[in-house]
Amino acid sequence: MRIARGEAPRRMLMTFLGLCFGCGALSVLLKVIDLPGSTVACAIAVAFALASAGAVTAMRGDDPAFTTAGVRLKAFSWDRAQVVVPWPEIDRMWIARIRDYDYLYILPQDPDRFIRGGGFLRAWTMARIAAAQGSALQMYLPADSLPLDRVRAAVEEFSGGSVRLDPAPRTA
């Protein structure tokens, strides 16, 4: 079962691109009419262009999916490839809501197998996610295309009943 990305990533990309073009146009306008602030507007435009590139990077690759082999997802949003966490290697799975968005969290029996490498930023970010949520492997569940009951049923069906969705752990 493929899990479509939903509208949120596309909206985020369009917002970043709109802000990038708006700041770029403001930079040119300020330069043409010889007012201060052109450099600042240009720097902000570049920052939004970089954010747009990050959003595009996060959207590339196959959609996450539940397969008979396991759960296919990106171990980190900027990964080029996805990993498959086999059903027998999943210790716990749960759904948690963060700022109006649902995420599926997967805690493998050996988390290091799926999160190694990638440099300091990746390790730091994944450590923060793991500390906050109990697992660094997560996938966004788009509310606009996937009911949570369907996720529960798919987990039980594709795992052959060996994995079920647990309640979200309590956070302090």
Side-chain angles (χ1 to χ4, degrees):
M1 179 179 96
R2 187 177 66 84
I3 301 172
R5 290 184 180 92
E7 289 298 317
R10 285 186 282 279
R11 272 191 235 131
M12 178 178 63
L13 175 61
M14 297 312 292
T15 301
F16 288 154
L17 284 174
L19 290 169
C20 174
F21 287 122
C23 290
L26 178 64
S27 172
V28 170
L29 179 66
L30 290 174
K31 189 74 165 173
V32 167
I33 60 176
D34 201 29
L35 287 175
S38 174
T39 305
V40 172
C42 184
I44 293 171
V46 168
F48 281 118
L50 292 174
S52 298
V56 167
T57 301
M59 289 172 29
R60 72 179 180 197
D62 293 332
D63 287 337
F66 297 127
T67 67
T68 54
V71 180
R72 182 182 71 209
L73 72 156
K74 291 182 179 184
F76 192 66
S77 61
W78 294 301
D79 279 347
R80 292 177 190 219
Q82 294 178 333
V83 297
V84 174
V85 183
W87 294 112
E89 294 184 32
I90 295 176
D91 191 35
R92 287 190 69 220
M93 289 178 75
W94 65 92
I95 294 174
R97 181 170 276 271
I98 300 174
R99 295 187 195 113
D100 300 328
Y101 297 104
D102 289 322
Y103 289 87
L104 176 72
Y105 290 92
I106 300 167
L107 180 61
Q109 293 170 355
D110 182 13
D112 290 338
R113 177 174 171 218
F114 300 100
I115 61 174
R116 275 193 204 118
F120 174 74
L121 179 62
R122 177 178 172 186
W124 177 82
T125 303
M126 293 189 85
R128 295 278 313 247
I129 294 169
Q133 299 300 323
S135 172
L137 296 178
Q138 63 179 345
M139 80 172 74
Y140 167 67
L141 296 174
D144 54 349
S145 67
L146 192 63
L148 298 183
D149 290 340
R150 188 163 175 228
V151 172
R152 284 185 173 79
V155 167
E156 289 182 24
E157 176 187 340
F158 284 101
S159 72
S162 65
V163 177
R164 65 180 178 81
L165 284 175
D166 293 331
R170 290 183 174 281
T171 55

